[in-house]
Amino acid sequence: MKIGITCYPTYGGSGALATELGIALAARGHEVHFITYAQPFRLPSFLPRVYFHEVDVGRYPLFEYPPYDLALAVRMHEVVRDHQLDVLHCHYAIPHATSAWIARSMLREEGRDVKVVTTLHGTDITIVGQERSFFSITKFSIEKSHAVTAVSEYLRDETYRAFGCVGCQVEVIPNFIDPSLYDRSRHVFPIPADVTRGRKVIMHISNFRPVKRVRDIVRTFARIDRDVPSVLIMVGDGPERVEAEAEARELGVSEHVHFLGKIDTIAPLLAGAHLFLLTSDKESFGLSALEALATGVPVIGAHAGGLPEVVRHGETGFLFPVGDVESMAQAGIQLLADPVRWQAMSSAAAADARTRFSEAAIVAQYEALYERTVGTAPATAGPDTDGGVAPLPTLSVPS
Ligand code: GMT
């Protein structure tokens, strides 16, 4: 099959997942075309059957906001036409699914067609999609996709709740990990010993957006550090980084909090961690938490969104109400102070991640979805009578 993939290429779980999916599909013999504004950060420079098509928005003085969604639609149209793609798979609804709908409408004018699959990742539904400026176009773009997936049951249900649903079908296909990559024994921890100085290593990886509550990460760490000497490794960057740095200073723990900035290859870092913290107030899945679990790092975090579908409370980590820093810290202290219990939980985490979220099984679900979607009778080429195609699934606002 020939599959186009569009995602946010520079950072974030949706881009990471989309890229890993493309690489896995190519390894299984499919031809994969990434269509986006930059080379996806987890994509090596060359892989057989993998192509990258850059979207160039150009520049013009009138464009205070260059219309990326239109440039993307034009590039999607060209790539589908020139490479006879079967499927355009959009990761994150806005604006990718909208651009795909425009590209498909252009193709249909020429007597061609392509199927559009949209994977909802989280904030495209829980935050951005519900903003007044984007609600109706998000709903429209979901409705016009031939197939829609969500990365967790929570996100599927939230899509139904927020956007309404009559006879719709949002299929849950969870995120996945490559078990061989997130193997603790394979990596050498790159942080020098004079930084960790025999302390426990606590880690957080994110885009440091307000939704992540990174000050809670620092507070939880500071409380743990009082009882179990530790270092906190903060990976990533974003608007709340300065707040987190200030919190560390205020709590007097700056010396043991290290901000590494954006790092593409996180498996070696995770391989040296004892605990992963994720305290977000919304988290549709928590791919970074899954990557930690797969590496044998127990996760402590907030009982929010889809995270309870990833972390098994008491077995592979601990989840508490959003903001309950004291309980999170106490759970961390007890676990880190008990090497036997930590080892049991670490092994359970690595095993559970492999059992439920292994790449092979999840990629096969996407392949089956593409086959079903491409197998559906193509809509008649030509202009749409209703300004769009008959939607599969159909979502509509309840009256
Ligand atoms: O966390 C973010 O804001 C980034 C966002 C993204 O688009 O990369 O992450 C979302 O998608 C990830 C991959 O499916 C999920 O693991 C994250 O839970 C989800 N983020 C939120 O729901 C906040």
Side-chain angles (χ1 to χ4, degrees):
M1 206 171 278
K2 295 185 177 187
I3 302 148
I5 293 183
T6 292
C7 62
Y8 284 106
T10 49
Y11 204 55
S14 58
L17 192 281
T19 309
E20 308 282 4
L21 174 62
I23 293 170
L25 288 165
R28 292 160 86 109
H30 301 284
E31 190 175 299
V32 176
H33 295 257
F34 286 96
I35 310 168
T36 183
Y37 60 82
Q39 168 106 354
F41 68 99
R42 284 199 183 172
L43 188 65
S45 50
F46 175 76
L47 284 174
R49 292 180 293 281
V50 176
Y51 304 88
F52 167 56
H53 307 270
E54 186 173 334
V55 179
D56 181 8
V57 286
R59 290 182 205 288
Y60 192 68
L62 273 182
F63 292 157
E64 190 171 344
Y65 305 104
Y68 174 66
D69 33 15
L70 298 185
L72 174 60
V74 168
R75 201 78 178 105
M76 284 172 157
H77 169 255
E78 285 169 357
V79 176
V80 172
R81 183 195 61 201
D82 296 349
H83 297 272
Q84 291 91 44
L85 301 193
D86 303 296
V87 173
L88 276 176
H89 189 168
C90 302
H91 291 262
Y92 207 93
I94 295 290
H96 305 145
T98 318
S99 300
W101 177 78
I102 297 171
R104 180 172 185 247
S105 302
M106 292 162 71
L107 288 160
R108 283 164 54 89
E109 293 285 341
E110 300 162 3
R112 301 170 194 269
D113 203 5
V114 69
K115 298 294 181 185
V116 177
V117 174
T118 297
T119 290
L120 308 172
H121 278 274
T123 48
D124 45 354
I125 292 301
T126 58
I127 298 178
V128 183
Q130 292 185 47
E131 281 174 17
R132 195 177 174 77
S133 315
F134 296 115
F135 180 86
S136 55
I137 195 70
T138 303
K139 178 174 151 46
F140 174 85
S141 306
I142 292 171
E143 286 179 352
K144 293 300 181 188
S145 301
H146 294 91
V148 180
T149 77
V151 297
S152 63
E153 289 175 19
Y154 156 79
L155 188 60
R156 176 198 58 200
D157 296 347
E158 182 59 13
T159 306
Y160 292 163
R161 189 201 63 76
F163 293 92
C165 174
V166 177
C168 57
Q169 258 184 304
V170 177
E171 181 172 341
V172 176
I173 303 185
N175 292 330
F176 60 84
I177 44 90
D178 171 356
S180 64
L181 178 60
Y182 293 96
D183 175 349
R184 211 176 175 84
S185 65
R186 255 191 66 182
H187 301 284
V188 177
F189 186 49
I191 306 281
D194 63 348
V195 172
T196 52
R197 283 183 272 161
R199 291 167 161 259
K200 298 293 182 191
V201 175
I202 301 177
M203 198 166 286
H204 171 74
I205 303 173
S206 82
N207 54 19
F208 290 60
R209 306 226 159 252
V211 73
K212 304 291 177 182
R213 294 177 67 98
V214 286
R215 292 172 71 163
D216 282 4
I217 301 282
V218 177
R219 288 180 189 142
T220 307
F221 163 75
R223 179 65 195 88
I224 294 174
D225 186 42
R226 264 168 43 197
D227 286 23
V228 180
S230 307
V231 290
L232 175 63
I233 306 290
M234 300 284 271
V235 183
D237 212 335
E240 297 288 296
R241 174 172 169 170
V242 284
E243 298 291 332
E245 287 171 339
E247 189 74 29
R249 275 194 302 276
E250 275 163 36
L251 296 174
V253 292
S254 295
E255 192 195 342
H256 299 302
V257 181
H258 303 276
F259 291 85
L260 304 190
K262 292 182 183 179
I263 292 183
D264 294 348
T265 310
I266 56 158
L269 279 170
L270 285 168
H274 298 100
L275 209 58
F276 187 86
L277 300 179
L278 193 59
T279 55
S280 321
D281 58 25
K282 284 193 179 75
E283 197 67 60
S284 71
F285 184 90
L287 181 61
S288 59
L290 174 60
E291 290 167 341
L293 295 172
T295 319
V297 187
V299 173
I300 292 184
H303 194 284
L307 203 52
E309 296 172 47
V310 179
V311 179
R312 289 196 196 273
H313 180 77
E315 288 174 40
T316 65
F318 299 98
L319 300 178
F320 299 97
V322 173
D324 187 354
V325 165
E326 185 56 30
S327 298
M328 293 181 200
Q330 287 305 328
I333 291 165
Q334 284 167 26
L335 187 61
L336 292 175
D338 184 344
V340 174
R341 191 159 171 235
W342 183 87
Q343 187 55 60
M345 192 166 262
S346 167
S347 303
D352 188 50
R354 279 160 179 73
T355 306
R356 296 194 294 137
F357 303 108
S358 226
E359 178 182 291
I362 309 287
V363 172
Q365 289 184 45
Y366 278 115
E367 280 180 306
L369 176 69
Y370 297 153
E371 272 155 28
R372 282 200 312 276
T373 306
V374 170
T376 57
T380 314
D384 297 327
T385 49
D386 63 353
V389 294
L392 256 187
T394 300
L395 296 177
S396 61
V397 173
S399 53

